[in-house]
Each structure stands twice: as C-alpha cells, then as structure tokens.
Amino acid sequence: EVQLVESGGGSVQAGGSLRLSCAVSGYSGVPGYGGCLVWFRQVPGLEREGIAAMNNGSGVTYYADSVKGRFTIAQDNGKHRLYLQMDALKPEDTGMYYCAAVIYGCYPSHWWKEYFYNNWGPGTQVTVSS
C-alpha cells in the first residue's frame, strides 16, 4: 500500500523560505521508466494545481510557471522522501500542499492534472503573510 505523508508546512513572511517533505512508502514506478511524484497546491474554492513534478527514475523535473525559479523539487537517494524547497515565497503561495504519486512517468502534456494521480497524502498548510 502506498503511503504519502507531508510535513514542513507553517507560516512565513513574504520573501522567506520553507522546505516541505513527503515521506514515501510502498511506492515504486514502472521498472526501467520510473514513476511520477508531484507537489500540488490548493487554495480554498479552487482546484488543486500541480506545481512541481519529478520522474523518480530519470530525475527529470517539471514546474508550473508560477513557481519556476523559486521552488525546487528533489528526492533523497533512497527515494523514500520527496522534498519541495520553496524560496522567495509570496502571499499567493498560501494554500494546502499535497504530494501525490502514480506508477507511470510524468507526461509533459498533463503532469499537473489532478486526475493523473491515484495516491495522495493528507496535505500540509503553508501560509505566507505580506
């Protein structure tokens, strides 16, 4: 059974940094190709938005334009933790952050789509004040 548990959320002032962590267990991607691990963000009243993804076999990463250059997705060597380093935070980065996974690799055409993923963590709240 795949289990994902996020941590590291909190409150920070604009311009500050946070590092989110997702503990990953029971998960593996398609042998030889890897799977897709992703961070989503949800603001109340809006759909979840994929903001950063990583193919855990190749290491190829994808970012939403809204976070490109400020956020970095990474995994540890043992592939048991997924990280999201968030720098230069803005008030509009406020939201609930989720990690998600699917056994297939990330597709450039839809890695940010919620429907692509069937494993989710419970989320961690990030609040950025101005």
Side-chain angles (χ1 to χ4, degrees):
E1 179 186 1
V2 177
Q3 289 193 327
L4 307 170
V5 181
E6 305 90 343
S7 61
S11 297
V12 64
Q13 287 193 325
S17 298
L18 281 175
R19 188 175 80 154
L20 304 184
S21 177
C22 176
V24 182
S25 62
Y27 168 78
S28 63
V30 174
Y33 293 92
C36 194
L37 292 162
V38 64
W39 286 97
F40 276 81
R41 173 171 67 200
Q42 186 169 28
V43 176
L46 299 178
E47 293 183 352
R48 287 188 226 190
E49 168 196 24
I51 57 173
M54 167 177 276
N55 182 304
N56 78 333
S58 65
V60 174
T61 58
Y62 302 85
Y63 294 94
D65 288 343
S66 60
V67 305
K68 200 172 293 183
R70 299 187 299 122
F71 290 10
T72 304
I73 188 172
Q75 63 180 354
D76 69 341
N77 288 337
K79 301 184 180 180
H80 296 306
R81 282 201 174 268
L82 181 72
Y83 299 102
L84 184 68
Q85 177 66 41
M86 305 187 295
D87 298 317
L89 282 161
K90 305 175 181 179
E92 52 263 44
D93 293 319
T94 294
M96 185 69 79
Y97 283 70
Y98 301 89
C99 68
V102 68
I103 65 169
Y104 308 107
C106 305
Y107 286 80
S109 58
H110 57 264
W111 66 264
W112 65 87
K113 295 292 189 180
E114 187 176 350
Y115 68 78
F116 187 55
Y117 302 90
N118 58 348
N119 299 287
W120 293 84
T124 187
Q125 176 68 35
V126 172
T127 303
V128 184
S129 58
S130 57

